[in-house]
Amino acid sequence: MALPYRLFVKVSVLALTVIGLPLCLWLASLWAIKPLLTITPFSWINIDGDRSSLASSQAPFTLLFLGYLSCDSICPATLAELATVARHRDPQLLQILFVTLDATHDTVERRRRFVDSLGIESVQLADKQLSRLRFELGDRAPDIANHRGNVYLLNRQGIIVDFFSSANLSWPALHDRLISQLDVQSLSSINPRSI
């Protein structure tokens, strides 16, 4: 009689583990809190000579991309996708920043012609600011040809609320993530469909 009872207990424990573990993992993912990374505040001078910062932006969100115009791998495709985002976005809700990694070759005129003309604001940071920003974003390769190519979604406080690799950046994906970030209480006057 002891054998069937032990078998019953073992089968029950196994069944609870097989069913319960995935259920617990799924429930945990619903309430999971993503660790937030805050970057050090920085300011920039745009191609028109105006100084700006995340905190002074009209838009509550900023897409940040670090790249350079002579890049032959990630940057052209990412800039093309950012241009698509720029055509669809509401500038009151989302600004797009291209931070050059190659200030020597990415002159103001080249950035105006190849980046700003797409609806993307191109900026150049001071060397120390750029080094700190790259370090904080985990883009520590000394050679700019090996930069990460991620696109970061930041709020005005410099908190990275989401990020995209160059492979998964698209307007529909970004739109969905922006909608999920909007606080309906504080932005109730904004129509999420206008994003």
Side-chain angles (χ1 to χ4, degrees), residues 71-125:
C71 173
D72 60 0
S73 58
I74 298 170
C75 298
T78 304
L79 282 171
E81 194 58 46
L82 288 174
T84 301
V85 170
R87 286 192 302 274
H88 290 92
R89 59 133 182 177
D90 178 351
Q92 297 297 321
L93 292 175
L94 179 67
Q95 75 172 343
I96 305 172
L97 287 182
F98 169 82
V99 176
T100 182
L101 295 173
D102 186 6
T104 304
H105 296 102
D106 292 353
T107 63
V108 169
E109 188 50 45
R110 287 191 76 211
R111 287 186 286 125
R112 182 186 318 270
R113 183 174 172 202
F114 296 114
V115 179
D116 289 73
S117 64
L118 301 173
I120 302 166
E121 184 177 359
S122 66
V123 300
Q124 176 182 337
L125 299 180

Side-chain angles (χ1 to χ4, degrees), residues 103-156:
T104 304
H105 296 102
D106 292 353
T107 63
V108 169
E109 188 50 45
R110 287 191 76 211
R111 287 186 286 125
R112 182 186 318 270
R113 183 174 172 202
F114 296 114
V115 179
D116 289 73
S117 64
L118 301 173
I120 302 166
E121 184 177 359
S122 66
V123 300
Q124 176 182 337
L125 299 180
D127 288 342
K128 189 174 181 179
Q129 282 184 317
L130 181 60
S131 293
R132 184 178 59 228
L133 180 62
R134 289 186 71 198
F135 180 81
E136 290 175 351
L137 295 175
D139 191 0
R140 298 181 178 118
D143 181 12
I144 62 172
N146 296 321
H147 68 291
R148 293 185 86 149
N150 290 333
V151 178
Y152 302 90
L153 181 61
L154 309 170
N155 66 16
R156 282 189 189 109

Side-chain angles (χ1 to χ4, degrees), residues 12-22:
S12 297
V13 169
L14 180 63
L16 285 173
T17 303
V18 168
I19 295 169
L21 184 61

